[in-house]
Amino acid sequence: MHPLMLLETIKEDVRTARTKDPAATGFITVALLYSGVHAVWGHRIANRLWTSGFRFSARFLSQFVRFLTGVEIHPAAEIGRRLFIDHGAGVVIGETAEIGDDVLLYHGVTLGGDSMRREKRHPTLEDGVTVGANATLLGDITVGEAASVGAGSVVVDDVAPNTTVVGVPAEPVDNANRSRRTTSR
């Protein structure tokens, strides 16, 4: 990657953290202290190694980043731009996971597999998805654009775009009724 592109990517990641986290007070704070941001940076390097055929080095780096950040991202996972992992700790992203642009993951999220075969076995998150703390998404499922997964939910089926799912197993929430209940209290 060209050094100017690398610098722009770093700036974009820090801007994303500052946009999505009200506690992110400055560039230096995010760049030095945000483990979720560090995990994404480490993944970018590990993924480059993986796709260049340096599989052992990629896995070694990904495990080192896991040790430092508490976030495990398989080097083969495909991650788009502006992924923000808030708090970071305990996040696991499996080998065949695909993550679009502008995705927000909270601590404890698992994008896990449901098969022992070498096939697509981890979730796909389209652009703009938000996944709440400690949610577990399993298998070759797709979470549609701008969908949200509630904290602690277990998702084993596809989620339609612009839908919020909650529960175990996760089911869609009627956002119109939910809004009325919230505002009537």
Side-chain angles (χ1 to χ4, degrees):
M1 180 180 278
H2 189 275
L4 288 178
M5 286 179 60
L6 178 62
L7 184 59
E8 284 306 311
T9 300
I10 289 170
K11 286 197 239 178
E12 182 177 65
D13 288 337
V14 172
R15 271 194 307 273
T16 298
R18 293 183 71 198
T19 300
K20 293 185 185 247
D21 183 0
T25 56
F27 184 92
I28 298 297
T29 300
V30 172
L32 295 179
L33 304 178
Y34 273 57
S35 63
V37 173
H38 300 153
V40 171
W41 291 345
H43 171 72
R44 288 203 180 108
I45 298 166
N47 180 259
R48 178 79 117 206
L49 288 168
W50 185 269
T51 57
S52 297
F54 298 100
R55 302 271 168 107
F56 179 82
S57 298
R59 288 301 303 263
F60 186 86
L61 177 60
S62 72
Q63 291 303 299
F64 182 69
V65 170
R66 174 186 175 208
F67 172 75
L68 293 176
T69 66
V71 176
E72 181 173 350
I73 307 173
H74 192 285
E78 296 179 25
I79 295 179
R81 293 174 57 193
R82 296 176 300 276
L83 167 64
F84 180 54
I85 303 172
D86 198 359
H87 298 287
V91 170
V92 177
I93 300 173
E95 178 181 18
T96 62
E98 298 174 34
I99 300 175
D101 297 336
D102 302 305
V103 170
L104 172 59
L105 304 179
Y106 286 95
H107 61 277
V109 168
T110 297
L111 304 181
D114 67 349
S115 168
M116 298 300 288
R117 293 185 296 275
R118 300 212 44 82
E119 61 187 6
K120 174 77 167 108
R121 61 190 188 282
H122 296 91
T124 297
L125 308 182
E126 294 183 346
D127 296 347
V129 167
T130 299
V131 183
N134 298 310
T136 301
L137 292 75
L138 297 173
D140 182 13
I141 60 172
T142 299
V143 179
E145 188 170 340
S148 295
V149 176
S153 296
V154 176
V155 183
V156 294
D157 293 311
D158 290 346
V159 177
N162 301 300
T163 300
T164 299
V165 296
V166 298
V168 179
E171 295 189 10
V173 173
D174 181 351
N175 286 325
N177 287 334
R178 187 167 155 241
S179 296
R180 278 197 294 276
R181 281 196 309 263
T182 304
T183 56
S184 65
R185 290 183 183 168

